[in-house]
Amino acid sequence: MITAGIDCGAKNTKTIIMKDGQILGRGKVLTGFDQNRSITASWQAALKEAGLEEGDVERRCGTGSGKDCIRNAGLVNDIKAMAKGAKYFFPKVRTVTDVGAEEARAVKMDDDGSVVDFAVNEKCAAGAGAFIEAMARALEVGLEEMGLLCLRSDREIPMNAQCVIFAESEVVGLIHARTGKPDISKAIHDAMAGRIVSMIRRVGVNEDLVMVGGVARNPGFVEAMKRELKIDRIHIPEAPEYGAAVGAAVAAAEKA
Amino acid sequence: MLAGYGYKDASGDFFVTIDTDRCNGCGDCVSACPAAVFAVVDEDPHDPLREDPVVMVSPDKNRQLKYACGPCKPRSGRPPLPCVSACNAGAISHSW
Amino acid sequence: MTQENQQEFWRWTESSWKNPDMDWKDAGFVTVGIDVGSVSSQACIMADGKIYAFANMRTGSDSPASARNALENALKTTDMPEERVDYCVGTGYGRVNVPFADRAVTEIACHARGANFIYGPAVRTVLDVGGQDIKAISCDEKGRVTHFLMNDKCAAGTGRGMEVFADLLGVSINEVGDRSFQYQGPEPDAVSSTCVVYARSEATGLLRKGWTTEKVLAAYCRAMAERIFALLERLGVEPGFGVTGGMAKNRGVMDRLTAMIRLEPMRTAWDVQVAGAVGAALFGHALCRRGKGRKR
């Protein structure tokens, strides 16, 4: 059967169209201020990539902060969605983290893929991708460059500020003190990784951590996470920002 | 005095309160804490008329208390906090 | 923000003053309190616990220099040599950088003492909202701290958080209060996000939906008042309620907060900015009385 998962996130709305466990199409659109519009646009984009019509999809399932705007769909909470999405890509996974633009989550699963525990960083921008985005603006670099800059430094500069607003001033101060952008970028990513890892430790992390969510695309952040956790690798699926949408599509198939 | 270290942010209240009337500066909490949250000081910066040592939350941990204390506060099955257990004077309390 | 804007922000001018009825030569103990803030620095010279001279100066980029500058401006109003000082206490954001201080004491302790001085011994709850922090303090009739909750981690409710909003809306900081009460309709609910970053996004969305600047300001000031109220509730508010710090002047937040705690803030003829330096000088006096003064 053909199902779809729609994740209406704070920054992007992602859609996955799946048939019998195969991903047929993806759509990603900036959420902006009009969630209804972004949901429709993301849905249409995924259909187009899959070469399908609306009627071909038997069941939809929605998740994400904007899920109440997703009509004609079952709903699944973010925790279940990320767990199912991670399991789709890495069947043996036990610990998953989903780092999004405005929220980050960690989930501990048992051997059957059931969620046994979870922790959330929410409501505070310093605990999610918004932190890195704001610091990239303060450094006047693009988001992609931000992640790459970090890889060029091996200095350890702890940040005093734990709030996006105060960190912006701290970054400006570092720039005035002529600290190089790679070093500043590393300080930012290290600070961010510290907060995410502390959240993950609340559910307990096994060696095999899976990371999904848009921030997983940031190589500087992934390296900072590995350092903080003292592990050699983190399992990240292709197009990690679709993690929850994949999970929602899986949930839709399971409800059949 | 009840010294409320930590902070309140949009995600909650994260205060570690030291009852300085009970604290005798023994430092047992310093040894018990796996995250170096505490430090004993000879001069209480909040009470210059105090003549005895007292414990405080280290300035570098104060703004990240939620994260520093995270490892001792697993989401479920939470054991007694090492610092609270170590303090015979009952001077330490956590708001979360 | 330029220095000029900062000055306008807090609506103060550099000044110094000496009590014409006092003479330092009659003093038992002469103590100094220096409060180095992120925007302004104050020096308070006390003779036997009474204010003898005072200066309020702009903080420069260098804390030690700002501290010295404030002290010199206070001393300049007098003919007293600096060597006469028996004890100096530094406080404020830059308190660890007052090289000539005998002791650094936190703003929490100094604002409680200072509030007791400027508001009188009836003050029991002191709220200090500064540019980068919020402190909720309970004190006794002598201005001794009995309980405090501090927050310098999160910008929500601080002067800086308000600045971010004022910038977004293109309103100057001193207009915020009045304009937040100019919306004609019923007072809107607070913006749902406490986090300044998320509240800013929320406000942008509201503006797009057609909300006026005044309505958004009302919603944001309410959110900030609620956030400060929650901190005060955790502390437990006892009358008399006194406010120190720059935000005391923002009626957009203060008036809403006052309605929530149902207590009128105490009044004083002093500028509340003096609380830190006054409290610091008073601590110096107390320490001298315990024999800790400098050997002369």
Side-chain angles (χ1 to χ4, degrees):
Chain A
M1 81 179 294
I2 301 179
T3 62
I6 302 175
D7 172 12
C8 182
K11 186 175 173 199
N12 286 306
T13 301
K14 285 90 51 182
T15 303
I16 286 281
I17 300 189
M18 191 179 271
K19 177 180 180 177
D20 302 327
Q22 290 274 83
I23 295 176
L24 299 182
R26 296 184 189 130
K28 182 169 88 169
V29 163
L30 279 173
T31 302
F33 292 105
D34 188 342
Q35 286 160 328
N36 293 312
R37 182 209 59 84
S38 70
I39 289 163
T40 305
S42 169
W43 165 240
Q44 297 293 347
L47 281 171
K48 185 159 174 216
E49 187 174 285
L52 294 172
E53 304 288 326
E54 276 200 32
D56 297 328
V57 177
E58 277 190 56
R59 187 178 261 107
R60 308 196 317 172
C61 194
T63 188
S65 52
K67 64 179 177 288
D68 292 336
C69 291
I70 304 173
R71 300 198 227 305
N72 304 320
L75 296 181
V76 65
N77 66 43
D78 300 296
I79 300 297
K80 287 221 179 86
M82 70 186 264
K84 289 184 194 295
K87 196 159 163 64
Y88 171 88
F89 291 106
F90 302 102
K92 297 218 190 81
V93 66
R94 296 292 171 268
T95 316
V96 191
T97 182
D98 181 350
V99 188
E102 293 195 356
E103 254 190 49
R105 288 168 282 273
V107 161
K108 176 56 88 55
M109 297 148 74
D110 66 15
D111 297 342
D112 300 325
S114 305
V115 173
V116 297
D117 209 352
F118 69 92
V120 187
N121 271 2
E122 58 180 351
K123 299 187 182 147
C124 168
F131 179 75
I132 297 179
E133 266 192 77
M135 296 308 110
R137 278 194 297 271
L139 270 182
E140 294 179 322
V141 301
L143 208 43
E144 270 203 39
E145 194 190 339
M146 185 66 173
L148 295 170
L149 272 173
C150 162
L151 298 172
R152 285 163 41 195
S153 163
D154 56 15
R155 271 181 82 183
E156 277 187 28
I157 307 177
M159 286 193 78
N160 291 316
Q162 299 287 325
C163 162
V164 166
I165 303 297
F166 294 142
E168 280 170 351
S169 305
E170 192 171 340
V171 164
V172 169
L174 287 170
I175 293 171
H176 287 161
R178 302 232 189 285
T179 309
K181 287 192 182 183
D183 292 337
I184 301 178
S185 178
K186 180 162 181 297
I188 288 161
H189 286 88
D190 288 346
M192 181 72 187
R195 292 189 280 273
I196 299 298
V197 167
S198 170
M199 173 194 64
I200 298 172
R201 289 203 196 287
R202 296 190 62 216
V203 300
V205 58
N206 299 338
E207 326 79 61
D208 287 320
L209 173 71
V210 172
M211 192 188 316
V212 297
V215 187
R217 277 191 175 276
N218 178 330
F221 176 67
V222 173
E223 285 308 301
M225 289 283 290
K226 283 166 29 182
R227 276 194 298 274
E228 184 71 25
L229 285 163
K230 300 196 187 24
I231 58 181
D232 291 322
R233 62 177 302 201
I234 298 177
H235 304 285
I236 302 173
E238 192 202 345
E241 68 271 26
Y242 288 97
V246 167
V250 167
E254 284 172 357
K255 281 184 182 136
Chain B
M1 120 174 29
L2 294 173
Y5 293 98
Y7 55 88
K8 173 185 188 57
D9 73 13
S11 68
D13 289 10
F14 306 98
F15 292 104
V16 171
T17 302
I18 308 288
D19 186 339
T20 64
D21 292 337
R22 294 180 185 233
C23 174
N24 58 17
C26 72
D28 286 353
C29 54
V30 178
S31 336
C33 174
V37 166
F38 299 103
V40 172
V41 291
D42 289 325
E43 291 183 342
D44 186 343
H46 298 294
D47 186 358
L49 300 181
R50 181 186 173 109
E51 311 222 315
D52 307 311
V54 75
V55 78
M56 60 183 294
V57 168
S58 298
D60 63 334
K61 299 290 176 182
N62 200 51
R63 287 192 199 117
Q64 26 182 334
L65 217 44
K66 170 169 94 169
Y67 297 110
C69 292
C72 285
K73 295 173 192 261
R75 181 67 176 36
S76 50
R78 184 163 134 173
L81 296 167
C83 53
V84 174
S85 306
C87 179
N88 290 323
I92 303 177
S93 64
H94 287 231
S95 71
W96 83 111
Chain C
M1 257 203 336
T2 62
Q3 293 277 35
E4 288 68 42
N5 286 349
Q6 287 176 335
Q7 191 175 9
E8 190 182 289
F9 183 150
W10 301 117
R11 225 192 280 143
W12 56 267
T13 50
E14 293 192 329
S15 60
S16 53
W17 171 86
K18 171 192 169 299
N19 186 331
D21 302 325
M22 288 170 69
D23 186 348
W24 64 271
K25 301 186 193 66
D26 301 328
F29 292 125
V30 174
T31 59
V32 168
I34 307 278
D35 181 356
V36 182
S38 52
V39 173
S40 63
S41 296
Q42 291 86 39
C44 175
I45 305 178
M46 279 192 165
D48 298 319
K50 297 203 219 352
I51 299 183
Y52 173 53
F54 195 88
N56 186 12
M57 310 299 292
R58 180 183 294 167
T59 298
S61 51
D62 183 66
S63 283
S66 303
R68 172 126 301 274
N69 185 43
L71 178 59
E72 310 242 291
N73 274 278
L75 281 170
K76 241 176 20 194
T77 65
T78 77
D79 61 348
M80 186 183 85
E82 193 181 329
E83 295 70 48
R84 177 59 190 87
V85 174
D86 293 306
Y87 205 92
C88 175
V89 172
T91 189
Y93 172 79
R95 69 179 175 276
V96 294
N97 285 324
V98 181
F100 49 87
D102 298 288
R103 179 94 183 231
V105 175
T106 62
E107 290 168 283
I108 284 164
C110 291
H111 277 247
R113 284 267 160 154
N116 176 278
F117 184 95
I118 67 178
Y119 288 116
V123 71
R124 289 290 175 279
T125 310
V126 181
L127 172 68
D128 174 32
V129 184
Q132 298 174 91
D133 58 26
I134 304 176
K135 299 182 266 299
I137 309 164
S138 294
C139 64
D140 67 13
E141 74 286 353
K142 292 201 161 64
R144 283 180 298 222
V145 177
T146 54
H147 187 180
F148 72 81
L149 294 172
M150 67 191 299
N151 172 61
D152 63 359
K153 179 263 181 195
C154 172
T158 68
R160 185 83 187 87
M162 192 49 75
E163 249 175 65
V164 165
F165 244 75
D167 282 348
L168 169 75
L169 296 169
V171 170
S172 82
I173 273 289
N174 19 345
E175 282 186 279
V176 165
D178 290 341
R179 286 187 69 176
S180 78
F181 285 112
Q182 280 168 16
Y183 173 63
Q184 299 296 341
E187 170 95 340
D189 287 338
V191 291
S192 67
S193 302
T194 305
C195 170
V196 172
V197 175
Y198 297 154
R200 186 170 51 185
S201 299
E202 204 179 322
T204 308
L206 292 170
L207 288 168
R208 279 165 163 258
K209 272 194 348 198
W211 281 39
T212 58
T213 298
E214 288 73 22
K215 191 175 177 186
V216 173
L217 270 174
Y220 184 69
C221 287
R222 175 156 293 277
M224 291 303 100
E226 280 179 2
R227 184 253 192 283
I228 296 171
F229 176 57
L231 188 72
L232 282 170
E233 278 215 292
R234 177 172 270 287
L235 181 83
V237 181
E238 299 268 325
F241 173 63
V243 184
T244 62
M247 277 279 261
K249 298 172 178 157
N250 180 333
R251 55 174 287 251
V253 175
M254 284 299 135
D255 286 7
R256 291 175 170 89
L257 177 64
T258 301
M260 289 169 196
I261 57 177
R262 290 198 276 243
L263 275 180
E264 277 303 312
M266 297 174 79
R267 294 180 187 283
T268 176
W270 295 98
D271 184 331
V272 299
Q273 282 231 299
V274 315
V278 163
L282 283 169
F283 270 121
H285 181 73
L287 287 162
C288 281
R289 292 186 62 196
R290 291 190 176 197
K292 312 277 192 213
R294 296 172 183 171
K295 304 280 175 274
R296 294 192 286 118

